[in-house]
Amino acid sequence: MGLKSSGWLVFFAFAIFDYLGGFVWRASCIHAAQTPDEVVKPAIALPLQRPKFNGKIGNTYKESVPDWKPVQPIQPPENAPNIVLVVLDDVGFGHLSCYGGAIPTPNLDKLAKKGLRYNNFHTTALCSPSRACLLTGRNPHSIGMASLTEAATGFPAGYGQIPRGAGTIAQILKPQGYNTGAFGKWHLAPYTSYTAAGPFDHWPLGMGFERFYGFLGGETDQFAPLLVQDNSFIPIPGKEGYHLTEDLVDKTVSYIRDQQQANTGRPFFTYLALGACHAPFHAPREFLEKQRGKFDAGWDKERDATFARQKQLGIIPVDSILPPRNKEVQPWSELDETQRKVYCRLQEAFAAYLDHADHHLGRLFAALDQMEISDNTMIVVVSDNGASQEGLQHGATNTDRYRNFFPETPGEMLQHLDRIGSRQSDCHYPMGWAMVGNTPFKRWKQNTHRGGNSDPMIVSWPVKIKEAGAIRGQFHHIADIAPTLLEVIGTSAPDTIDGVRQMPMAGTSMAYSFSDGLAPTRKKVQYFEMMGSRALWADGWSAVSWHIKGTDWEKNAWELYHNEKDFTQSTDLAATHPEKLKEMQDLWWAEAKKYGVLPLDDRLYERASDPTRPVASISKPRYVYYPGTVIVHPLAAPQLMGHNHSITAEVDIPAKGAEGVLACAGGELGGWSFFIKDGKLHYVHNHLQLKEYGINSDKPVAPGKHKLGIAFRFTAESKIPTFYTGDVTILVDGKKVGEIKDVQTARAYSAMTGYGLQIGRNEGTPVSHEYLVPFRYTGPLDRVVIEVGKK
C-alpha cells in the first residue's frame, strides 16, 4: 500500500474538518528564571521512594524485629476527595438547560444546583488538544497536541502524542494512593498505535490509568462501538438494545462500587469521557420520539429563545448583546420545506442523544449518593469544545459521504428521514444548529472565537462548596483543572516521573473560586491557536484573528474585544483602540514562542497525505490473516480501495455445507463483504449506501478443501466526488465463477468509527442486508491471504 496510500486513510479520518525522551525538548521554552529570593520547594519524584527497613535482623526471627512500613500501601493525603471527571463531546455553551439550552438536562441541572457553574470557562476548540490540556495541566502545543492526533505533523507542536515530560494527573495520583480508571473516549493515542500490538505507551494504561474501557479514536458507532478493554480490542457488542453511553456508565458505576467495597481506604480518580454528543448522533427510539416537533420554529428563533433564557438564569450578563447570525448560516425563513424537515430531524437526533446522556449520568450521580460518598466526591463536568459545524450547510446521515467528497442533499436525506438517529445512520446536524448550541457567541468548534472555545463547566463538591447553585465568572482554561485537582487533594506537581523531568504546569488553580465568587481571576493570560486561527485573552481583553485556509497570515484581520464589558464579543474595538490591539498581538507572539506554537499551520488533508509521515503498519504486497483474531483497525489494515487486489480464503467445506462471512471491512454505511450463503460464494460492495454491488457463484461450492477468492481490477478514478471504479471476479480454486464490472468504491470506509478488517465474521453493523450480523463462518477456515498491487 505504501506510505502515501496509508496516509489517505488518515486524510479521511479528519477530512471534515512520544516518546521524546522527556522534558528537554521544551525546557528552554517553559522554565522561567528563578529569582534570588524565590522559595525552592523540596523536589518531588514519583513514584515515591519506599522507606528503608528500620527493624532489626537477627540470626532467627525470635531475636529479630519486623518493620512493615516498606511494603505498606502508600496512603493518600488526609481527607483526599474522590474525583469524577466527566467530559462531554461537542456540547456548546448554550446546550445544557442549566446554561439556557432548549434540551432538558435535569440531572446535570441538579448537579449544578448542588455546586457551581462557570460562565467564563474555555477550551482549545478541538477534542484531542482539550483532553491533553485537561489531563496534563499544560498548553496544547507545548505537549505536541496542536490538533487531532490523526493530524500529526513533523513539528514538535504537532507530533500528536503527549511527551513523557508532561505526566498526566493519573500518573501523579496513582503513586500517591489513588485508584485510577478511565472510561469512554481517549483520542490521545498517536494514530500509529491503533493496532493490536500497540505500541501501548500512549494508551490509557501507559499514561497512569489502572483500568480502561472505551474507544481509542475520535468517534465510534454508539450502537455497535469498536471497544478496547485495558490494552486489548474486544468484540463489538451485539446485545439487543445496546447503547455505548449506558454501557460506559454501567462500567463506571461497577468500577467505583468494586473499588469502594474493597475497603482499602483509597480514594478514586475516575475519568468518564462520553461519546455524546459527537457524531454519530445515536439515541434509542423512545428518546428520539420525545423530541419530535420541538425545534420546528427553526434555528433563528431557537437562538433568540436560548439567549433570553440565559439572561433569565443569570448565566450571562443582562446587558449582553447577541451577535448577528454567523454569515455561513442561511436564515431559517429562506429554507424550503424539505430543508426544514431534514434539518429539524437532525437536530432532534442531537437533542435525543444529549437527553439520553443526561439520563445515564443521572444514574452515575445516584449511585454515588447510594454509596454515601457524594459529599467528599468532587465531580467536574466539562465539554471539550464548542458545538460542531462539521455537518456543514446541510448536515448528514452518512458522514463517510462527505469524507469522500460526495455530500448528501436534503432531498436524499428526506427519503430516509426515519433512519436519522438509528443504527442505520451516522448523523450530524447543519451548522445552523451548532450556532444555536454556541449561543450567545460567534462561530463554533475549530475556531478561536468564543463559540469555539467557551464551554459549560460544572463543579460539585458538597463538603467544600457551600454556595450551592452559584455562578462563577472568573476566566479559566481547561489546562487549569489539573492544578486545581492537585491543590484540593493536597499535593504538588512532581519534578520527575519515572526518572523523567517534568515541565511545569501552565495552568492556574481555580480552587480559590470555590469559596469566593467575587475574587478576581488569578489567570493572567491565555493564548489560543487552532488550524491557523489565533486569539489571546489577557486582563479582561481578547484579540481574535480568524484564518481561512490558504490566506496570508500577515493579511488576516484582527478583532479586539473588551470582555469585561462585552461578554459576547459583539463590538469590535480594533479600529478605535489600535494601541491595545498591537499590545495584544505582541503578547500573542510572545506566548506562541514561549509555548512552542510555531510554525503556524493551516493544513488539514495535506497532513495526512504527507508521504514522509510514520504509518501504523508496515506496507507490503501480501498479508495473511487468521480466524479468531481481533478486528484490524482501518489505520493498520491493508489499503485496498483504488488498488488492484485479491482476497483468498482457504477453507474446508463440510459435507453438510457451511455459511458465513469469510472476510469483510466496513459496515452499514459502506464497505465490502466476502461470504458464503445458501452454499454459494458471494461478494458485496456497499458504496456509501448509494448502491450495493453484488455477485455470487451460479452453483454451490462443493464439499472439501478450496481456495475461494475475489480479484479486483482497478479501471478508473474520480477526484470529486471521490470514488474508484473496478471490475470484480469471484473464483473457486482459481477458476472464475462470476464477474461484475464497473463497481464503484469509496476511497475509504469507516475511517472514524474503526470498522476495519474482520476475518470469519461481520461484527458491528452489516455491510450487506443479505445476512444478519455477526454471520460467523460455520466451517473450518484456515486463513485469508490478501495481496495488494498498484493502480
Side-chain angles (χ1 to χ4, degrees):
M1 61 184 170
L3 289 172
K4 186 173 182 179
S5 61
S6 65
W8 274 113
L9 186 61
V10 187
F11 170 102
F12 286 97
F14 65 93
I16 197 61
F17 160 124
D18 50 3
Y19 196 80
L20 298 174
F23 171 71
V24 176
W25 69 292
R26 278 279 176 247
S28 61
C29 299
I30 306 300
H31 264 317
Q34 182 175 307
T35 58
D37 58 347
E38 184 177 346
V39 176
V40 180
K41 67 179 180 66
I44 300 175
L46 295 178
L48 299 172
Q49 295 297 308
R50 296 282 186 177
K52 293 181 179 180
F53 175 78
N54 284 323
K56 176 185 175 184
I57 303 294
N59 289 334
T60 71
Y61 75 91
K62 292 183 178 180
E63 58 262 24
S64 302
V65 178
D67 178 14
W68 288 101
K69 289 182 180 179
V71 293
Q72 287 283 0
I74 294 174
Q75 294 300 308
E78 188 176 357
N79 297 320
N82 302 308
I83 297 167
V84 176
L85 186 50
V86 178
V87 182
L88 303 172
D89 204 327
D90 287 2
V91 173
F93 183 90
H95 269 143
L96 306 182
S97 51
C98 55
Y99 278 77
I103 304 165
T105 51
N107 292 296
L108 287 169
D109 293 2
K110 181 179 177 182
L111 187 74
K113 289 178 181 178
K114 292 168 55 179
L116 303 171
R117 282 169 292 165
Y118 287 77
N119 69 1
N120 206 1
F121 175 74
H122 297 257
T123 60
T124 69
L126 198 62
C127 43
S128 296
S130 288
R131 292 159 201 272
C133 293
L134 173 65
L135 290 176
T136 70
R138 281 91 176 181
N139 281 317
H141 299 78
S142 65
I143 54 174
M145 207 65 71
S147 185
L148 304 177
T149 56
E150 297 92 341
T153 69
F155 303 107
Y159 278 153
Q161 50 189 288
I162 298 171
R164 290 300 174 197
T168 68
I169 191 72
Q171 288 173 298
I172 297 172
L173 297 186
K174 184 174 73 170
Q176 298 192 72
Y178 270 77
N179 285 125
T180 56
F183 303 86
K185 176 172 172 175
W186 185 239
H187 212 191
L188 292 174
Y191 68 93
T192 52
S193 70
Y194 283 30
T195 81
F200 302 111
D201 52 339
H202 285 85
W203 288 32
L205 267 62
M207 302 194 75
F209 289 99
E210 296 167 315
R211 301 297 304 274
F212 174 64
Y213 182 88
F215 56 103
L216 288 181
E219 67 179 66
T220 194
D221 190 297
Q222 299 293 298
F223 291 117
L226 178 62
L227 293 176
V228 167
Q229 184 163 330
D230 297 331
N231 277 349
S232 299
F233 288 100
I234 61 175
I236 295 172
K239 184 179 70 173
E240 186 69 26
Y242 176 91
H243 192 284
L244 179 58
T245 298
E246 180 177 4
D247 187 18
L248 292 176
V249 171
D250 284 347
K251 293 295 190 298
T252 303
V253 170
S254 293
Y255 168 79
I256 294 174
R257 284 174 174 163
D258 285 344
Q259 194 270 353
Q260 286 293 293
Q261 66 191 24
N263 295 312
T264 63
R266 304 180 75 187
F268 57 81
F269 170 52
T270 300
Y271 176 65
L272 172 60
L274 298 181
C277 287
H278 194 292
F281 298 169
H282 282 161
R285 177 59 56 183
E286 62 270 25
F287 283 84
L288 292 167
E289 294 298 332
K290 282 173 61 178
Q291 303 299 329
R292 296 292 180 248
K294 291 190 175 181
F295 301 96
D296 289 355
W299 48 55
D300 291 322
K301 290 185 178 179
E302 285 294 342
R303 185 174 184 239
D304 290 341
T306 299
F307 186 63
R309 286 191 296 268
Q310 289 173 333
K311 287 187 174 182
Q312 292 169 0
L313 289 170
I315 203 68
I316 66 173
V318 293
D319 60 353
S320 296
I321 299 170
L322 184 64
R325 180 192 309 107
N326 293 334
K327 63 180 181 180
E328 297 89 345
V329 176
Q330 193 173 359
W332 189 262
S333 60
E334 296 179 7
L335 302 179
D336 62 34
E337 191 61 26
T338 294
Q339 290 173 310
R340 292 181 184 185
K341 283 184 179 179
V342 171
Y343 299 170
C344 283
R345 188 59 64 92
L346 290 166
Q347 168 66 4
E348 289 168 9
F350 176 89
Y353 195 15
L354 180 56
D355 178 20
H356 181 253
D358 178 81
H359 169 76
H360 288 289
L361 286 174
R363 293 196 303 113
L364 170 60
F365 304 151
L368 297 174
D369 289 339
Q370 182 191 45
M371 287 181 270
E372 299 180 347
I373 57 174
S374 292
D375 279 357
N376 198 31
T377 296
M378 182 178 175
I379 303 174
V380 180
V381 180
V382 298
S383 180
D384 59 349
N385 45 247
S388 172
Q389 87 288 15
E390 291 160 342
L392 303 181
Q393 197 75 31
H394 301 304
T397 67
N398 182 348
T399 61
D400 266 353
R401 285 275 301 267
Y402 62 62
R403 291 190 185 100
N404 284 277
F405 300 101
F406 215 139
E408 301 161 275
T409 66
E412 286 180 284
M413 290 186 276
L414 183 66
Q415 297 174 32
H416 306 292
L417 211 59
D418 288 339
R419 285 185 185 175
I420 292 174
S422 75
R423 64 188 305 131
Q424 285 79 43
S425 68
D426 178 356
C427 298
H428 205 302
Y429 53 25
M431 55 176 57
W433 291 117
M435 178 182 68
V436 176
N438 292 326
T439 306
F441 305 121
K442 300 176 185 176
R443 307 205 64 77
W444 26 54
K445 176 183 178 180
Q446 300 182 9
N447 296 162
T448 52
H449 283 80
R450 288 199 68 176
N453 62 39
S454 289
D455 284 283
M457 178 182 179
I458 300 170
V459 181
S460 172
W461 188 19
V463 76
K464 291 291 184 180
I465 295 176
K466 301 304 181 183
E467 198 179 349
I471 296 169
R472 294 291 187 258
Q474 292 96 341
F475 179 99
H476 276 288
H477 186 264
I478 197 164
D480 299 337
I481 291 178
T484 302
L485 298 181
L486 295 183
E487 180 176 345
V488 302
I489 289 166
T491 188
S492 300
D495 297 274
T496 64
I497 296 178
D498 294 328
V500 178
R501 185 163 175 77
Q502 299 293 292
M503 65 175 68
M505 288 189 176
T508 301
S509 172
M510 51 202 300
Y512 69 93
S513 68
F514 293 173
S515 59
D516 190 350
L518 299 178
T521 181
R522 295 182 182 177
K523 192 84 169 177
K524 299 301 180 185
V525 62
Q526 180 63 51
Y527 81 87
F528 300 88
E529 189 279 334
M530 185 53 61
M531 300 179 188
S533 292
R534 294 164 285 172
L536 181 102
W537 176 92
D539 295 326
W541 288 79
S542 61
V544 189
S545 178
W546 179 48
H547 176 76
I548 299 175
K549 182 185 175 185
T551 61
D552 187 346
W553 277 283
E554 293 298 323
K555 296 180 181 178
N556 289 164
W558 282 81
E559 304 160 25
L560 179 69
Y561 301 101
H562 192 185
N563 291 33
E564 294 295 312
K565 298 180 179 180
D566 180 12
F567 184 82
T568 62
Q569 295 183 334
S570 64
T571 305
D572 181 7
L573 302 175
T576 57
H577 292 70
E579 301 85 0
K580 185 65 178 180
L581 178 61
K582 179 64 165 55
E583 174 191 329
M584 298 288 282
Q585 290 171 316
D586 291 345
L587 184 54
W588 186 91
W589 284 105
E591 292 293 292
K593 292 173 183 176
K594 179 180 180 181
Y595 291 107
V597 175
L598 305 178
L600 292 172
D601 191 346
D602 62 359
R603 294 173 300 160
L604 281 175
Y605 324 129
E606 300 89 342
R607 298 185 187 192
S609 57
D610 178 356
T612 67
R613 281 166 46 112
V615 293
S617 295
I618 299 171
S619 62
K620 52 187 182 179
R622 184 174 182 270
Y623 301 81
V624 180
Y625 297 97
Y626 301 92
T629 51
V630 300
I631 190 170
V632 183
H633 194 280
L635 291 173
Q639 306 305 300
L640 304 183
M641 301 301 100
H643 296 266
N644 293 323
H645 63 269
S646 66
I647 304 169
T648 303
E650 299 177 8
V651 304
D652 188 352
I653 306 290
K656 63 179 181 180
E659 67 174 6
V661 172
L662 301 170
C664 72
E668 177 94 34
L669 305 174
W672 59 266
S673 184
F674 183 38
F675 58 96
I676 296 175
K677 181 183 177 185
D678 298 329
K680 296 180 180 180
L681 187 62
H682 291 251
Y683 174 81
V684 167
H685 199 106
N686 172 359
H687 181 216
L688 299 171
Q689 294 182 318
L690 290 164
K691 184 175 181 179
E692 187 171 292
Y693 300 86
I695 185 174
N696 58 268
S697 61
D698 292 334
K699 300 177 181 179
V701 181
K705 291 187 176 183
H706 296 283
K707 290 186 177 181
L708 310 178
I710 71 105
F712 179 95
R713 184 175 65 87
F714 170 84
T715 59
E717 178 179 5
S718 170
K719 297 292 187 182
I720 296 179
T722 304
F723 62 87
Y724 299 117
T725 303
D727 301 333
V728 178
T729 303
I730 57 174
L731 307 107
V732 175
D733 298 323
K735 181 181 177 181
K736 182 168 72 172
V737 295
E739 184 178 28
I740 184 171
K741 293 183 177 294
D742 300 325
V743 173
Q744 289 186 355
T745 81
R747 189 184 295 274
Y749 295 111
S750 303
M752 291 298 287
T753 53
Y755 286 160
L757 180 66
Q758 299 185 64
I759 304 299
R761 68 199 189 280
N762 179 177
E763 293 179 350
T765 61
V767 174
S768 170
H769 287 283
E770 290 281 337
Y771 54 78
L772 298 175
V773 293
F775 201 41
R776 297 181 186 277
Y777 181 62
T778 58
L781 173 59
D782 183 26
R783 63 181 186 170
V784 174
V785 178
I786 296 179
E787 295 181 289
V788 186
K790 297 181 179 180
K791 292 181 181 179

